[in-house]
Amino acid sequence: DRNKPDLKWEEFLMRNVFSRRDFLKASAAAVLAASAAGVLTGCDGGGEQLAENEAILGDFKVQLTKVETKRESVTSGGVSTENNWVNVTTKIAYIGKGSDSVQYSRIFSATVGEKKWALEKPTGNLISGDAPLMNSKTETLVFKAPTVESYEIFEKGEPLKLKVTFFDQSIIFFLRHNKDKTVSIKKS
């Protein structure tokens, strides 16, 4: 008997032979379920095609929206120093449940060649949650070149490798200074 409650599932499958009619019903249900899953994927953002300037890492979606370079020369006591920065406007959206707090310095790092660039801003923690005012934030990341030479290498076309890490997931964006003074973005 098919509905015998004292049989284990495996025993049920072994003892019962599917009729052609049962097989067709099960096949039709499987096809319907598979096609419905494809339609529903578009509703929740799953399988979303991401642009070169964005990535999803765990519960966070990161999008680089604007990149600017800044150069400043300061003369004091007859000594001239030059400082160079790359500013990256970044939109960070929390797409998880609950809340998270992570230090910005643990999320964002940058190098040109082997030289590490300092993250000057923002400082402190990124605090995100699934509440309306906590789920999306736009920050300008300010990376300072360690030397004038490092910045000049960047200007000549060596990419600034911006590494974004959330917990155990990372991606690297390659920011390349173009001859027309713009910066292009590609991801690894």
Side-chain angles (χ1 to χ4, degrees):
D1 186 81
R2 222 181 227 207
N3 298 322
K4 212 172 189 184
D6 60 333
L7 292 178
K8 292 182 183 174
W9 178 248
E10 293 84 13
E11 291 174 345
F12 167 76
L13 288 176
M14 296 299 288
R15 290 186 182 175
N16 290 291
V17 177
F18 275 95
S19 70
R20 185 180 304 162
R21 185 175 179 191
D22 289 340
F23 176 77
L24 289 173
K25 282 182 188 178
S27 297
V31 168
L32 184 62
S35 64
V39 171
L40 295 175
T41 303
C43 298
D44 67 356
E48 178 180 353
Q49 188 68 23
L50 299 173
E52 284 293 317
N53 67 329
E54 57 189 4
I56 295 177
L57 300 168
D59 290 341
F60 293 89
K61 181 175 181 180
V62 178
Q63 181 182 29
L64 310 183
T65 58
K66 184 178 176 185
V67 181
E68 298 176 312
T69 58
K70 181 180 174 189
R71 177 173 266 181
E72 177 182 89
S73 293
V74 178
T75 304
S76 177
V79 177
S80 182
T81 58
E82 187 175 303
N83 296 309
N84 300 286
W85 296 270
V86 171
N87 301 335
V88 184
T89 304
T90 307
K91 183 176 179 181
I92 306 160
Y94 182 70
I95 53 178
K97 299 286 184 206
S99 62
D100 268 311
S101 176
V102 186
Q103 290 177 330
Y104 284 104
S105 61
R106 295 185 71 153
I107 302 169
F108 301 104
S109 62
T111 57
V112 171
E114 298 300 315
K115 295 279 187 181
K116 183 173 171 70
W117 288 34
L119 176 64
E120 290 195 334
K121 293 179 185 171
T123 59
N125 287 358
L126 167 66
I127 300 171
S128 299
D130 58 2
L133 296 176
M134 293 179 65
N135 64 354
S136 185
K137 178 177 273 197
T138 300
E139 292 285 358
T140 300
L141 311 175
V142 179
F143 290 101
K144 184 177 181 185
T147 62
V148 173
E149 294 79 22
S150 183
Y151 186 79
E152 288 172 348
I153 291 169
F154 169 67
E155 274 189 316
K156 290 177 183 173
E158 179 76 22
L160 182 138
K161 292 177 240 165
L162 171 58
K163 184 176 182 180
V164 182
T165 304
F166 280 103
F167 306 104
D168 62 344
Q169 297 182 349
S170 297
I171 192 161
I172 297 176
F173 291 98
F174 295 90
L175 284 60
R176 193 174 300 276
H177 197 274
N178 301 316
K179 293 187 189 312
D180 63 357
K181 304 291 185 204
T182 62
V183 178
S184 59
I185 303 169
K186 263 198 164 339
K187 64 184 172 188
S188 62

